[in-house]
Amino acid sequence: MAITEMNPDGVSGVVDPMGGANQTRVRAYNERLVLSLVRRHGSLSKAEIARRTGLSAQTVSVIMRALEQDGLLKRGDPQRGKVGQPSIPMSLNPDGVLSLGLKIGRRSADLILMDFTGRVRQQLHEAYRYPTPAGIVAFVEKSTATILEAISADDRRRIAGLGAALPFELWNWVEEMGAPREDMDAWRDADIAAMLGERLPFPVFIQNDATAACAAELAFGHGPRFADFAYFFLGSFIGGGVVLNHALYPGRTGNAGAFGSMPFKSRDGGQDQLIDHASVVLLEKLLLEAGKDPSSIWLTPETWDDFGEIPARWIEMTGKALAFAIATVCSVIDFEAVIIDGGFAASVRAQVTEVARRELGKLDLQGIEPPIVEEGLVGSAARAIGAASLPLFSRYHIDQSVLFKEMA
């Protein structure tokens, strides 16, 4: 996962992963390795960690004792076997670290407080016609203050930072969002990380929104189950991510999985893109054409108003488009699975996924091994959860590609 880290002076930098290793760095790496393994498996005993890492039992014991003293791990109930001492499983302490996650969407923003195990403890939401840098900063300042006032001083000290997930090149979506060009052009020169960093007392991390959602699915959803998968997230528009060998693959520019830009045959026989056939904005357009108020799909994404047959028609269109997209991506990479998620209710996600499965079965897939098509497990908050995971992985876990390539 490509993550920019802010040092104590507020200057961003990347630690060279090929740099030399001293005793302190080796200890820090081993601590991150242990935390990463425990996160992936839920809970592990010292003996199991020693077996999986190749570290000595004594080294593992020292590391886990230190992590427990720091409040990052907690003991489970002893598990008695047939012989020897009972093993004690260790798991992540939910209260050990907290993190803030910001989702900047094309129609709404969310700020969440997440614990060390990925559980969302607080969530604040704001809908708008289109986002502006100044409006986002104001929302974050106000919402952060609300969250901090509601938690204890100890909890405030445990906040590792704020991660922000947003669509890259927002200024290119003027026509689709119906926003004034001058307002969207403000994003060209806006350093949102610096703007937020000036106003918040902790580090700020930035990631593409669909990539962040894919990272959330990798860490808290189907990640342990599938080694390779393509991930589609239906938000205002559609984006996604690519997971290879249990690791998020960001690509050369960090924009791998930009499925919305996939060339598509338009309804009039010309050419357009997948975003023109699968997006929540498309549902908004259908509702407006029918003279209905679409505001609930942004204000209350988990509970849409009763729009009659229009959502069912949109689900059919979306599922059919996704089926073609799935066949396309699987002709390039032999994905084990394809995961579909979105910023709406689980029932809608289930219907979209079922249509995509059905329509995929109708296509000529000669030469392609059909993937498993599954609903995402993280849900509508995936982008915010993925954003909140950025500070956690930066400080407390090793790079995902190192972890999951090392662990079979």
Side-chain angles (χ1 to χ4, degrees):
M1 186 188 308
I3 301 175
T4 299
E5 184 169 357
M6 310 294 289
N7 67 25
D9 297 322
V11 179
S12 64
V14 178
V15 178
D16 183 356
M18 300 303 292
N22 55 33
Q23 186 175 0
T24 300
R25 186 165 179 174
V26 170
R27 184 174 65 249
Y29 175 89
N30 287 338
E31 289 178 349
R32 287 175 176 239
L33 176 60
V34 168
L35 288 171
S36 298
L37 287 171
V38 172
R39 176 178 293 282
R40 182 184 183 193
H41 294 280
S43 65
L44 289 173
S45 67
K46 294 176 184 178
E48 184 68 11
I49 288 178
R51 184 186 70 80
R52 289 177 175 275
T53 62
L55 297 172
S56 70
Q58 181 180 2
T59 297
V60 171
S61 181
V62 170
I63 291 172
M64 298 189 76
R65 184 162 56 248
L67 293 174
E68 185 180 9
Q69 290 174 349
D70 290 341
L72 300 177
L73 292 179
K74 67 175 185 177
R75 292 171 177 259
D77 295 329
Q79 305 294 312
R80 297 189 178 276
K82 294 182 179 179
V83 295
Q85 296 293 322
S87 64
I88 300 177
M90 304 291 286
S91 59
L92 297 181
N93 179 7
D95 299 322
V97 187
L98 301 175
S99 182
L100 293 166
L102 170 67
K103 184 270 300 188
I104 303 172
R106 297 172 176 87
R107 288 288 190 259
S108 64
D110 293 280
L111 186 70
I112 67 168
L113 177 69
M114 188 178 80
D115 68 26
F116 205 25
T117 62
R119 186 173 70 87
V120 176
R121 295 193 171 186
Q122 292 191 53
Q123 179 170 0
L124 297 170
H125 178 82
E126 179 173 275
Y128 39 65
R129 283 187 56 216
Y130 55 86
T132 63
I136 291 297
V137 170
F139 167 70
V140 172
E141 279 194 289
K142 179 181 178 181
S143 300
T144 300
T146 299
I147 288 174
L148 294 181
E149 288 175 2
I151 62 178
S152 68
D154 284 343
D155 283 344
R156 287 195 288 271
R157 285 192 290 269
R158 294 190 181 99
I159 295 179
L162 178 140
L166 72 160
F168 287 170
E169 298 187 0
L170 267 166
W171 55 87
N172 285 330
W173 300 97
V174 173
E175 181 177 346
E176 288 83 356
M177 289 193 289
R181 177 167 293 279
E182 57 272 21
D183 287 346
M184 298 311 298
D185 278 346
W187 285 101
R188 288 183 182 273
D189 301 317
D191 186 341
I192 196 69
M195 294 170 68
L196 293 173
E198 291 173 357
R199 294 164 172 81
L200 300 176
F202 27 70
V204 175
F205 305 78
I206 300 292
Q207 182 61 278
N208 173 267
D209 60 341
T211 304
C214 185
E217 188 66 37
L218 174 62
F220 306 112
H222 284 294
R225 180 182 172 195
F226 299 119
D228 308 298
F229 62 85
Y231 176 85
F232 289 85
F233 190 91
L234 283 152
S236 298
F237 298 107
I238 187 169
V242 174
V243 169
L244 299 175
N245 196 19
H246 286 295
L248 188 68
Y249 177 73
R252 178 176 56 86
T253 64
N255 205 32
F259 299 135
S261 300
M262 184 183 298
F264 231 76
K265 186 177 181 180
S266 66
R267 296 177 181 85
D268 60 6
Q271 180 187 318
D272 50 25
Q273 295 183 325
L274 179 60
I275 60 171
D276 300 302
H277 300 263
S279 72
V280 179
V281 163
L282 179 58
L283 173 60
E284 179 185 56
K285 291 179 179 178
L286 293 174
L287 293 171
L288 288 172
E289 290 171 359
K292 296 181 180 294
D293 178 8
S295 58
S296 72
I297 63 178
W298 311 115
L299 293 172
T300 55
E302 295 286 347
T303 54
W304 294 347
D305 290 343
D306 182 2
F307 295 123
E309 55 80 31
I310 295 177
R313 179 152 52 96
W314 173 79
I315 287 169
E316 283 289 320
M317 296 167 56
T318 301
K320 289 180 180 179
L322 282 173
F324 279 100
I326 291 168
T328 300
V329 300
C330 288
S331 70
V332 179
I333 297 176
D334 186 20
F335 286 111
E336 179 182 6
V338 171
I339 311 300
I340 298 173
D341 212 336
F344 34 66
S347 59
V348 176
R349 181 177 68 234
Q351 293 175 71
V352 170
T353 303
E354 182 54 37
V355 173
R357 283 197 200 104
R358 184 192 73 209
E359 295 300 317
L360 183 65
K362 296 178 180 179
L363 299 179
D364 181 358
L365 299 179
Q366 183 176 355
I368 301 173
E369 182 66 26
I372 299 168
V373 181
E374 295 278 22
E375 302 172 45
L377 295 179
V378 180
S380 60
R383 291 165 293 181
I385 290 174
S389 71
L390 298 179
L392 300 185
F393 281 105
S394 177
R395 286 183 57 176
Y396 298 103
H397 297 278
I398 64 174
D399 182 82
Q400 294 296 289
S401 61
V402 176
L403 169 64
F404 292 122
K405 286 178 183 176
E406 190 273 339
M407 300 309 305

